[in-house]
Amino acid sequence: MLCERCKKRDSIAVVGGRKLCVLCARDEIIKRIKREFYPNKVLVYREHILFAYPIYLSQISDLLKMILLDKIYKKFSLSYSELPIDPTNSIIDDIWSIIIKSKIFSKQNNINKVILPFTADFLMAYLIYSISKGDYTYINLLDFEYKLDNILFLIPFYNTSIIELQGFINANELNLITKDELFNTIIKWETELLKDNYELFHAFHNSKKLFQEKNYKCEGCGGLINSPVKYCGRCSVAFASHPY
């Protein structure tokens, strides 16, 4: 089938509900990210940013690095650091680790922008996971940005699923397997169930409002907590046992 945009090349991916060729699919994704970054001048000339990621999302992080540094901000002379994180047996612990280690690294290196490689399908799986666990600590991640102290965590692919990235990478070759078996099961179920319903990956974000009745935030990781204490359980244990 021909690309629904250029009408010239064969389509290889569905982006925003349209079947597009490689070039048009890439262009649509880049434009989508520009619409998030450009209006508020999120990144500035010669800024140093941090790419933080769990090992199983390294390919997505590499793709973001290429799109931001070589495409969208090519003339901005941006510099960067990388912070790969080893996974645990819990996806929530993985997220906590990324946030805390990024926060520490950023403060030590005078960085205030952190790029996270979470995609729409990853975040949707996390939402389902959170509901099944009854733990909504990081539900605020279901958006473009996550603010913590003076650090801005940015999630460029928050509304882009892996299947939409076919113009850049082969989704079937991605090794998106965590050490959390329940999360892996949800990702697999979600992919099989929604492979022909891409629009749902753009519609779940507002669901976080249903779980934000908690008014307190942990001063360590920014996660939602039930009571007006300083730290969540994870941060309390970590800060008591490590010289952060």
Side-chain angles (χ1 to χ4, degrees):
M1 181 176 180
L2 287 179
C3 172
E4 293 180 8
R5 177 180 158 183
C6 71
K7 311 294 185 182
K8 297 178 181 179
R9 294 171 289 269
D10 291 338
S11 61
I12 55 92
V14 176
V15 181
R18 292 194 297 172
K19 295 181 179 180
L20 304 178
C21 66
V22 171
L23 296 181
C24 290
R26 291 179 179 179
D27 188 55
E28 284 295 317
I29 295 298
I30 290 173
K31 284 182 177 178
R32 182 183 292 176
I33 295 178
K34 279 184 178 179
R35 286 195 293 268
E36 298 288 352
F37 278 85
Y38 273 19
N40 298 314
K41 298 181 179 179
V42 177
L43 300 180
V44 298
Y45 185 66
R46 290 190 178 279
E47 186 166 22
H48 190 86
I49 58 180
L50 174 64
F51 289 87
Y53 54 90
I55 298 299
Y56 48 80
L57 289 177
S58 60
Q59 291 170 279
I60 302 296
S61 186
D62 287 341
L63 175 57
L64 276 173
K65 194 192 318 170
M66 183 274 290
I67 291 176
L68 291 176
L69 302 183
D70 299 336
K71 300 293 183 181
I72 299 178
Y73 288 99
K74 187 175 182 179
K75 297 181 180 180
F76 277 59
S77 300
L78 299 177
S79 57
Y80 70 93
S81 295
E82 291 189 79
L83 184 62
I85 305 294
D86 291 327
T88 69
N89 292 325
S90 164
I91 203 69
I92 298 180
D93 286 343
D94 286 355
I95 294 174
W96 176 86
S97 182
I98 287 175
I99 292 172
I100 291 299
K101 291 181 179 179
S102 295
K103 180 178 175 180
I104 295 169
F105 186 95
S106 297
K107 288 187 175 181
Q108 291 174 341
N109 295 276
N110 195 29
I111 297 172
N112 58 20
K113 305 284 174 57
V114 179
I115 309 296
L116 301 179
F118 301 140
T119 59
D121 33 3
F122 182 94
L123 293 175
M124 186 171 177
Y126 169 69
L127 173 62
I128 298 170
Y129 181 95
S130 296
I131 294 171
S132 67
K133 288 282 188 177
D135 185 337
Y136 313 110
T137 307
Y138 301 114
I139 211 72
N140 286 338
L141 282 173
L142 307 185
D143 211 334
F144 173 61
E145 59 184 36
Y146 182 87
K147 296 180 180 179
L148 180 58
D149 297 339
N150 66 334
I151 300 173
L152 188 60
F153 291 84
L154 299 165
I155 310 173
F157 286 152
Y158 83 99
N159 62 347
T160 300
S161 62
I162 289 177
I163 198 68
E164 290 181 295
L165 298 175
Q166 289 282 92
F168 294 101
I169 54 178
N170 187 336
N172 294 322
E173 295 179 358
L174 278 176
N175 188 30
L176 182 51
I177 300 177
T178 74
K179 287 188 175 182
D180 189 319
E181 292 303 322
L182 174 58
F183 188 82
N184 291 339
T185 299
I186 293 172
I187 278 280
K188 182 178 180 181
W189 168 83
E190 176 187 87
T191 301
E192 293 175 352
L193 182 69
L194 304 180
K195 60 183 178 182
D196 296 319
N197 296 285
Y198 309 106
E199 70 279 0
L200 293 178
F201 288 119
H202 301 277
F204 73 93
H205 301 87
N206 288 332
S207 300
K208 71 178 184 179
K209 296 176 182 178
L210 300 174
F211 308 100
Q212 287 179 313
E213 73 281 357
K214 304 170 185 177
N215 298 317
Y216 309 106
K217 287 187 178 182
C218 170
E219 292 183 18
C221 66
L224 299 179
I225 49 181
N226 288 314
S227 56
V229 294
K230 187 173 183 178
Y231 295 125
C232 67
R234 293 177 180 85
C235 287
S236 294
V237 173
F239 294 166
S241 58
H242 298 284
Y244 287 119

